[in-house]
Structures are given as C-alpha cells and as structure tokens.
Amino acid sequence: MKDVEEGLTLDERSAVDFVAGLRVQWAKNVYPALVTEAGEEGRRLGSLDQASEFLRSLRLYPWFSYLERQQQKMMWRAAGDTVLRRRAELLGALEEASTNTGGACLELDPELVLPTWYTDVDIHIQPGSFHADEASAFIYELGARVVMLRDNDGYKFHRLFCETALPDIPGATRVVDVGCGFGKSTRPLVARYPDAEVVGVDLSAPNLKLARAEAVTEGLPIRFKQALGSRTGLEAGSVDLVTGTMVLHEMPRKEIEATLREAARLLRPGGVLRFLEFWPTGDHLRDATVYEHAERNNEPYFRDLFATDTAAVCAELGLTAHGWVPFDEREKGLTPRGREPREDWHFPWAVLCATKPGDAEGGQQ
C-alpha cells in the first residue's frame, strides 16, 4: 500500500515538518520553562484541583496552551490537505488492495450502529474523526506520526510494547487487539505470536480497510473485524491475550468497564490482558497539564479513564495480578521500577496488566 509521505511536494513536506518542529519546541522548551516558572513561585500543591488553578495563573500558561491547541489544528490541516489532494488515487489503491487474496481478511458489519459517544466527538480535533470519510484513515495515519514528535515512525512504541510488555505464551492460538485503528498496533503481534490467529477489532470502517490493505502489503495474515471492544462477537474463553493501545481513554467510563468485562470473557484460563494507556503520575502539576491536554485535544474521556477504579473492576471480574506499570516510549518500554525523571512534556504512559487465573497462569512472564 502506498505511503502518503513518499510523494509529498516540497510545500507539503515543509508544512508537515513545521508542525512537527513546533511540537518538539513546545514539548522540550516551552513546557520546561513553564515548570521552571512554577518552581520559582514556590507554591505547595496538595491536590490536582489546586494544581489546575495554579497552572492557569502562570504567566507562560496562555502561550503554552495556545501553542498546544494551534499546533494540533495545524497538523490536521496539513495532513488533511495532503491526503485530500490525492483522495481519488488513494481510494483507488485501497479498492485495488481489497481485491487481493492475501492472508489478511476484513469483516465489516453493515448492521452496526456507531455509538453516539464515538460519533459526537471529533477526537484529537481531527475533522470528522476516524469514521466520517473514506479517506479519514489516511489522514489519521499521517497525523499520528507528527503527534508523536516523529519518534514513532516505524511504530517503535508499538514494537516496544510487544517486546517488553507482552508475555511469552507458548502455544498461543488467538490474540485480540482492541481499537486496532489502521493496524499499527496489530501488525507487530504477528511476529510476537507467529502461530496464533491475530484479530484486530475497531469501529471505523475506513481504518479497518486501510489496516487490511497494509497487512496484505506486508503479507500478514490478520483478521480485521468491525465491532465494539465491549461486544466483539468472538467466542468466550478462546483468547490467550487481549490487548489495546491508546483506546480506553477514548471511551466513556461505562464502556471502559464493559470492554474490560468483554476481555475477561474472551480470555481462556491463564490468558492475559495488556492495555497500553495513560495513567496519572502523582505529580499534581504534571497531571494537571495532562487533564488540560485532554480538554484542548477533544478527548473528553481521559477523566473517565482516570476516574475508573480499574483494580476494583479487574478484581470483580476475577482477574488477578492486576495493576498499572509505567512505560517509557523512548527505548526501554515497560519499566516496572518506576518512571524516570524527564524534563520534556510527554504522555504518562503505563500498561494495565491482569491475568485470568487458570492452569496456564504459571507459564506467563
């Protein structure tokens, strides 16, 4: 499948690079300056609410918040313009890929009604979100590279997640990736579990079509299925691993709990759950900027995730060894010893881990 970035004009490349560069400056220079200003005030912050109020009082904060919001809008404008200029060409290539008889398959559900919590929000400020237009997946794919400061080109984060956060599962027969999007989190699972059926589940038909096309290009036998993460339609007790990356924070609280419930239903005894997500750090000022990020970035369900007692939910579902483990996206991946100090603004990565008790439990790492 053709990569949009391979054919950028000079003007298009300049627009994308400018936004990426602006985001780097915001994260690595403006944010540390904001923290320095906060430290000079010498104020003790006893709660998240206090930190949020204090944050808004800082002189640099209006500039910090403006830059974050504007760079996101600029990114989608650059990505959208770039893709829409090639809309016919890209959709033609997607249609051609759909006729390929490669190992990847796609199951769309024409009866599926997308939930309003999904359709009513232009998540990440992407116009029309992931589902409104057939070309939206191409826009999302290009924009996602810029959001991660170009540090996830080649999907390094997802490979690190597979290599460091997912256990060895001898004899695994099926793994499921919830919220697979255009497949960036699903494709590495094939190499990690070469003998297992890999299933990617998502709501967005455009994302799933692109996911299948890219899997076909790479010769990966992945099954992509349009469904809610909370109602996959897969058989109970048929899955060795349920995973997802950056998806729970895009669901309301009831749906988060329902998705965890579905994961527990799918897992066979000894099966494991791993969700790469964001989780509060305990540094009130740092966490306040994450809450503010969610509001500026049209991600209203961050608060729902952070307010969900995932330990209680997992315990109620009979899952054991549950908890959040920090994750360093730069090169280390899962960091059970805790988060390392960092000066730059970054997402508070963490992995939700849990196990379904059973005979196979002793074989997990």
Side-chain angles (χ1 to χ4, degrees), residues 95-116:
E95 179 63 26
E96 181 179 349
S98 71
T99 64
N100 192 305
T101 56
C105 64
L106 173 60
E107 302 169 19
L108 297 180
D109 182 358
E111 304 299 322
L112 179 66
V113 177
L114 298 178
T116 56

Side-chain angles (χ1 to χ4, degrees), residues 96-247:
E96 181 179 349
S98 71
T99 64
N100 192 305
T101 56
C105 64
L106 173 60
E107 302 169 19
L108 297 180
D109 182 358
E111 304 299 322
L112 179 66
V113 177
L114 298 178
T116 56
W117 58 260
Y118 181 75
T119 59
D120 285 356
V121 178
D122 281 354
I123 204 81
H124 304 153
I125 326 179
Q126 180 177 344
S129 193
F130 314 132
H131 60 86
D133 187 272
E134 286 294 302
S136 61
F138 293 98
I139 297 171
Y140 177 38
E141 183 178 40
L142 178 54
R145 297 172 183 176
V146 178
V147 164
M148 299 304 178
L149 308 181
R150 304 306 313 229
D151 193 35
N152 196 29
D153 288 6
Y155 306 116
K156 179 186 76 174
F157 297 3
H158 302 284
R159 289 187 285 103
L160 274 175
F161 176 61
C162 280
E163 293 164 4
T164 69
L166 302 186
D168 293 332
I169 309 177
T173 58
R174 177 183 281 174
V175 298
V176 173
D177 183 28
V178 175
C180 67
F182 53 83
K184 63 183 183 297
S185 57
T186 319
R187 293 192 290 276
L189 294 172
V190 177
R192 188 71 172 89
Y193 305 104
D195 297 323
E197 178 191 26
V198 176
V199 184
V201 176
D202 202 89
L203 284 171
S204 166
N207 268 340
L208 290 168
K209 291 177 182 178
L210 180 56
R212 179 190 180 276
E214 295 190 342
V216 166
T217 298
E218 296 184 25
L220 301 177
I222 301 172
R223 174 185 174 190
F224 291 103
K225 180 177 174 61
Q226 187 181 29
L228 281 159
S230 59
R231 293 196 295 276
T232 64
L234 299 170
E235 303 87 350
S238 67
V239 178
D240 300 279
L241 167 71
V242 176
T243 185
T245 61
M246 296 168 277
V247 64

Side-chain angles (χ1 to χ4, degrees), residues 308-320:
T308 300
D309 188 342
T310 52
V313 173
C314 288
E316 179 185 342
L317 295 171
L319 302 178
T320 61

